[in-house]
Amino acid sequence: AKKLLDQARDILRTKHYSYRTEQSYLDWMRRFILYHNKRHPLEMGTPEIQAFLTHLAVEKNVSASTQNQALSAILFLYRAVLQKELDPILLPSTAKRPERLPTVLTRSEALAVINQMTGITKLMTQLLYGSGLRLMECLRLRLKDLDFDYRTITAARQGEKDRIVPLPETVIPDLRRQIERVRLLHEEDLAAGYGEVDLPHALAAKYPNASRELAWQYIFPASQLSRDPRLPSPSGRGAGGEGFPSPAGSPQGVLREAAGGEGFPSPAGS
């Protein structure tokens, strides 16, 4: 029989959770079990979960969002893997999210920050600002998601219906140049025996050659060849930010640095 965490991994992949979520959930499950001296979760229940969450809040002083993520992972373990329902679980009072007003830049401030940037990070930020893409949606964009004729972008969302957002006219020249760089890089990877990317859901079985096609390559690929842990053999480049080296460092970090260069006192990019 498979070990418990291996069973959890299989179910996470069957339900098409992202690799980042998979790694995070498995880590929280492992930490929960270790905190209770490796007792099997079937021998535990709501009191032990409450104790672990209190430990995180009081002794580890983790944020509210981290406590909620830990709880989500443990609930997945019990409900999806062990098929066991639990009594209601109360989060520690410290797990309430602090109320903060979001930092909103004016149009001129946003453009000033963007103009402090260069290269791929600038192109990513222009896409985020001009189209309304979320950060991970931008990092996971594939060539097939762009429609230059209709000036639209298809943003694929994990486990949800895709959404269509506008493609800003101003980024099209730089975006075409980025696509050409991706094409040349992909040809080099194919020649070296790589060039394969992960495909959503069961498309890999239905279209076995699609993972090597240019249309499925990421617009912002990782800077280094990597082995996707979900694939049986070395493949190619993941999306920047998907647990692989990013092509341009952290976009959030670059954004904060650019905002600081413009002298904004507010925590832009946080």
Side-chain angles (χ1 to χ4, degrees):
K2 280 191 173 183
K3 293 182 179 179
L4 182 61
L5 293 186
D6 290 333
Q7 295 177 40
R9 180 181 291 106
D10 289 346
I11 294 174
L12 284 162
R13 294 182 183 181
T14 300
K15 292 180 176 291
H16 309 299
Y17 279 70
S18 73
Y19 182 64
R20 289 161 60 95
T21 302
E22 173 189 317
Q23 293 299 95
S24 176
Y25 272 30
L26 292 175
D27 181 61
W28 281 119
M29 293 173 194
R30 186 179 297 108
R31 290 171 67 175
F32 170 65
I33 293 169
L34 290 175
Y35 176 75
H36 289 292
N37 299 313
K38 299 184 179 181
R39 288 173 63 194
H40 195 284
L42 282 176
E43 300 173 0
M44 301 185 284
T46 298
E48 287 80 8
I49 297 173
Q50 297 264 200
F52 179 64
L53 295 174
T54 301
H55 160 73
L56 293 179
V58 177
E59 298 180 33
K60 296 298 184 181
N61 196 31
V62 302
S63 67
S65 60
T66 301
Q67 293 174 53
N68 280 288
Q69 185 186 67
L71 176 59
S72 296
I74 296 169
L75 290 178
F76 183 92
L77 173 64
Y78 275 92
R79 293 172 179 170
V81 183
L82 298 174
Q83 303 289 309
K84 179 180 178 180
E85 285 300 321
L86 297 164
D87 294 330
I89 297 172
L90 297 176
L91 284 170
S93 58
T94 53
K96 295 180 180 178
R97 293 177 181 270
E99 294 184 5
R100 294 177 185 158
L101 290 175
T103 300
V104 180
L105 302 180
T106 65
R107 183 175 185 275
S108 59
E109 288 175 334
L111 293 177
V113 170
I114 290 173
N115 287 334
Q116 293 288 313
M117 301 178 178
T118 59
I120 293 178
T121 305
K122 181 177 182 179
L123 177 57
M124 287 181 178
T125 307
Q126 287 175 310
L127 277 172
L128 295 173
Y129 180 69
S131 68
L133 285 170
R134 300 178 180 90
L135 177 59
M136 292 312 300
E137 289 176 338
C138 180
L139 289 168
R140 293 172 182 159
L141 283 177
R142 302 177 192 252
L143 272 65
K144 70 173 188 62
D145 296 329
L146 301 180
D147 189 326
F148 288 106
D149 292 333
Y150 287 95
R151 299 295 194 262
T152 59
I153 302 171
T154 300
R157 297 191 289 176
Q158 195 76 32
E160 300 180 50
K161 185 178 179 181
D162 295 349
R163 66 190 186 104
I164 308 297
V165 298
L167 173 59
E169 192 80 29
T170 53
V171 306
I172 289 178
D174 287 337
L175 203 49
R176 289 190 184 277
R177 283 190 283 271
Q178 174 63 13
I179 289 172
E180 178 61 16
R181 285 193 286 267
V182 171
R183 185 185 68 79
L184 295 174
L185 183 64
H186 182 52
E187 289 181 355
E188 292 179 5
D189 289 346
L190 286 174
Y194 296 98
E196 184 179 357
V197 293
D198 62 296
L199 296 180
H201 310 320
L203 285 176
K206 189 174 182 180
Y207 305 107
N209 296 321
S211 62
R212 293 177 177 270
E213 293 176 2
L214 181 61
W216 284 97
Q217 302 303 306
Y218 291 106
I219 295 173
F220 303 111
S223 57
Q224 300 173 11
L225 287 167
S226 306
R227 181 188 181 278
D228 187 336
R230 294 167 293 183
L231 298 176
S233 59
S235 52
R237 299 175 191 271
E242 269 289 358
F244 302 100
S246 171
S250 164
Q252 302 99 314
V254 175
L255 177 58
R256 281 192 290 270
E257 184 178 344
E262 280 298 304
F264 295 125
S266 55
S270 61

